[in-house]
Amino acid sequence: MNVPAATSSLSPAILALAEPPARLIDTPAMDYFLIEVVNALRESSAVAVARTKKLEQEMVDAGLLPPPGPSAVAGASAASKRDSSFRDSIGSGISRSESAQGKSLVDDEEEGVRQRLEAIGMHVGANIAERLCHDRSLFTDTLDAVKFVCKDLWSACWDKQVDNLRTNHRGVYVLQDNAFKPITRLSTWEGRADGIRRAKLYVAMPGGIIRGALARLGFQAAVIPEITQLPQCTFQVKLPKG
Amino acid sequence: MTIYSLYIYDRHCTCVYYQDWHRSKPPRPSVEGGILPAVSHQVNPIRPDETTVAGPTYTNPRNTLTSMSGVVVAVNDDTPAPSATTQPAPPQSGLTFDEEAKLVYGVVLSLRNMIKKLSGKDEQFVNYRTSSYKLHLFETLSGYKFVMLSDPNTDSLRFVLRQIYAGPFLEYVVRNPLVSMDSKERGIDNEYFRTSTDRMIRGLSVFQ
């Protein structure tokens, strides 16, 4: 920007206040950090789940909980999943209860990591939205808020805009991104299906960012990320009507 | 003027990646435990219960029915290679892959050390040539060694190896959340890295 000669009397400090220099971050550095965040949370979730299981085992030993028999295994595993989503294994037959419990340990940890990532995303999204909205007028309706998410939030976080927005006009919006940045470089040796399964974890935080941004703006939303094909990702946003 | 194969070794002296384009004899699958998992589907040890290639098929001149032009075919192909049963397998090289990889690394390491002793630590081993191939080396500061074999008349391919490092390696290996760098238990093979190096090599003027 050329400063005209008449304003050369302004000190550089005032000029800097008028047009703050853009503070940029090196995106690879941010990516490396986020990779490590997931690894660290995985460890932390494993420790938390192990602690809960140990506690439960002690309670069982002390006789406060019914001992895990074949019919009570499903009950015990139901209790351990109290704070995570309801699972099919609870309704499963007795013969599956053993494998269900083994699988539920890994699922518990994965679910723990996912919840922590989403919680982090909610705080981050709320504060980003606060910053992005500081000079904006009020939202006229929910569609306006979703469009803000699609354009401003997406360009602030991932340098592009949402590729496709669909709605059923009853409060459900589907945001589709054909090359979602956090998962563009995700690739495994085992094949695409495995890649899709593991990518679910890495879209948990972006889902939380969307949810947190909408929550800070006053819209209680449920956000469900879905991946059918790398690197395409869709977010289903359910907003209450009005 | 063509390029035969590419090996990548990490700083723990193990082979973490292998890819080839032209070979006189296809590599023999390595013995169980000889190489790390995730180095290459082609040379993975075959377990006795596996009859067909389990992983996705990558374009490889040895596979029949895949494109022989320079363009990389879309990798959406999950059907196992039919060549396993339809035609007799071409004669395989005498060594298993893990031995071959160790030999290549040994050659590179010994030559490097010898040169440093002879001329001082500022000299760098760049390539060597025999009557049937030329071996190029590019070593990064982090200890990764990119080794490429090409036909004897090629000029130095160090710039190609540096391009592989600065491009596909940094993008799809370092920045890939699912690849653990510097692990002693896994290689770095993944789909995007393989297709992007393939595309880069096939696009070179020295290829074919």
Side-chain angles (χ1 to χ4, degrees), chain B:
Chain B
M1 289 257 281
T2 186
I3 292 183
Y4 297 155
S5 56
L6 168 71
Y7 299 73
I8 301 182
Y9 297 90
D10 67 356
R11 71 186 178 102
H12 303 292
C13 315
T14 39
C15 182
V16 288
Y17 184 75
Y18 170 73
Q19 189 170 4
D20 65 20
W21 291 272
H22 298 284
R23 265 185 82 127
S24 50
K25 296 187 202 146
R28 262 175 63 186
S30 54
V31 299
E32 194 72 39
I35 58 169
L36 303 175
V39 170
S40 166
H41 278 291
Q42 207 187 348
V43 300
N44 221 20
I46 297 181
R47 272 175 252 117
D49 53 357
E50 266 176 33
T51 47
T52 53
V53 174
T57 51
Y58 299 113
T59 49
N60 179 329
R62 295 287 160 211
N63 285 345
T64 62
L65 307 187
T66 53
S67 143
M68 284 299 284
S69 71
V71 176
V72 173
V73 175
V75 200
N76 220 343
D77 210 340
D78 279 353
T79 58
S83 63
T85 47
T86 49
Q87 66 189 46
Q92 293 184 322
S93 63
L95 293 171
T96 59
F97 177 76
D98 54 326
E99 292 168 14
E100 181 186 304
K102 285 198 190 102
L103 279 179
V104 170
Y105 184 74
V107 158
V108 161
L109 196 69
S110 334
L111 281 175
R112 224 179 95 233
N113 292 348
M114 189 176 353
I115 284 167
K116 286 208 167 18
K117 284 211 180 80
L118 276 176
S119 335
K121 43 185 181 42
D122 293 331
E123 289 283 320
Q124 287 197 20
F125 167 58
V126 172
N127 55 43
Y128 78 79
R129 203 178 94 159
T130 72
S131 50
S132 53
Y133 69 89
K134 193 171 189 184
L135 180 147
H136 311 257
L137 169 73
F138 171 67
E139 188 178 351
T140 70
L141 278 170
S142 47
Y144 278 89
K145 299 170 191 59
F146 292 72
V147 174
M148 182 169 272
L149 271 66
S150 67
D151 78 313
N153 307 322
T154 331
D155 298 325
S156 173
L157 288 181
R158 256 174 84 92
F159 78 98
V160 170
L161 290 172
R162 174 179 258 124
Q163 271 184 322
I164 293 180
Y165 174 64
F169 188 81
L170 282 185
E171 281 281 302
Y172 297 118
V173 175
V174 180
R175 244 172 126 172
N176 186 343
L178 301 179
V179 168
S180 48
M181 306 267 299
D182 221 27
S183 91
K184 303 198 188 155
E185 301 135 22
R186 274 186 82 82
I188 57 173
D189 188 9
N190 61 64
E191 189 188 334
Y192 287 1
F193 181 54
R194 190 162 282 266
T195 43
S196 55
T197 41
D198 196 45
R199 198 179 296 146
M200 176 182 278
I201 297 287
R202 283 180 199 267
L204 289 175
S205 53
V206 298
F207 190 77
Q208 298 273 43

Side-chain angles (χ1 to χ4, degrees), chain A residues 53-66:
Chain A
K53 291 257 180 302
K54 189 160 156 294
L55 223 65
E56 273 177 17
Q57 190 56 41
E58 282 172 13
M59 286 173 61
V60 165
D61 291 338
L64 294 169
L65 277 182

Side-chain angles (χ1 to χ4, degrees), chain A residues 168-206:
Chain A
N168 70 352
H169 296 292
R170 275 178 233 253
V172 178
Y173 299 85
V174 177
L175 285 65
Q176 181 175 331
D177 192 335
N178 292 332
F180 191 48
K181 258 192 114 206
I183 53 175
T184 40
R185 291 181 186 81
L186 225 103
S187 178
T188 68
W189 186 65
E190 281 91 357
R192 294 224 162 161
D194 189 59
I196 290 178
R197 189 180 55 82
R198 291 163 80 174
K200 290 197 201 311
L201 205 57
Y202 293 89
V203 292
M205 183 147 86

Side-chain angles (χ1 to χ4, degrees), chain A residues 18-228:
Chain A
E19 282 159 29
R23 277 178 233 137
L24 302 170
I25 187 174
D26 190 20
T27 15
M30 184 71 180
D31 272 358
Y32 303 147
F33 176 66
L34 289 175
I35 294 173
E36 292 314 309
V37 160
V38 174
N39 293 343
L41 285 177
R42 196 172 273 139
E43 298 285 316
S44 136
S45 171
V47 166
V49 165
R51 196 169 50 209
T52 334
K53 291 257 180 302
K54 189 160 156 294
L55 223 65
E56 273 177 17
Q57 190 56 41
E58 282 172 13
M59 286 173 61
V60 165
D61 291 338
L64 294 169
L65 277 182
S71 57
V73 163
S77 45
S80 77
K81 293 184 220 101
R82 194 178 313 121
D83 52 342
S84 51
S85 53
F86 207 75
R87 249 170 255 281
D88 292 335
S89 58
I90 293 181
S92 71
I94 292 174
S95 57
R96 272 186 56 200
S97 59
E98 292 294 318
S99 57
Q101 203 176 39
K103 196 162 73 78
S104 74
L105 185 68
V106 172
D107 283 345
D108 274 347
E109 293 179 8
E110 286 275 317
E111 188 60 31
V113 182
R114 210 196 52 78
Q115 281 177 346
R116 285 167 174 79
L117 282 170
E118 198 179 351
I120 291 178
M122 284 189 65
H123 290 291
V124 169
N127 293 331
I128 288 187
E130 195 79 65
R131 197 157 162 269
L132 290 175
C133 293
H134 78 278
D135 56 357
R136 215 185 167 291
S137 51
L138 280 176
F139 290 119
T140 46
D141 61 355
T142 52
L143 180 62
D144 212 24
V146 172
K147 282 205 281 206
F148 158 78
V149 163
C150 294
K151 293 198 204 144
D152 297 327
L153 189 71
W154 232 263
S155 3
C157 293
W158 303 299
D159 277 337
K160 65 190 287 273
Q161 297 190 357
V162 160
D163 292 315
N164 199 342
L165 169 66
R166 292 192 295 273
T167 173
N168 70 352
H169 296 292
R170 275 178 233 253
V172 178
Y173 299 85
V174 177
L175 285 65
Q176 181 175 331
D177 192 335
N178 292 332
F180 191 48
K181 258 192 114 206
I183 53 175
T184 40
R185 291 181 186 81
L186 225 103
S187 178
T188 68
W189 186 65
E190 281 91 357
R192 294 224 162 161
D194 189 59
I196 290 178
R197 189 180 55 82
R198 291 163 80 174
K200 290 197 201 311
L201 205 57
Y202 293 89
V203 292
M205 183 147 86
I209 289 180
I210 298 171
R211 195 164 155 216
L214 286 169
R216 183 62 74 90
L217 298 168
F219 302 96
Q220 288 303 320
V223 175
I224 303 170
E226 266 161 27
I227 308 177
T228 44

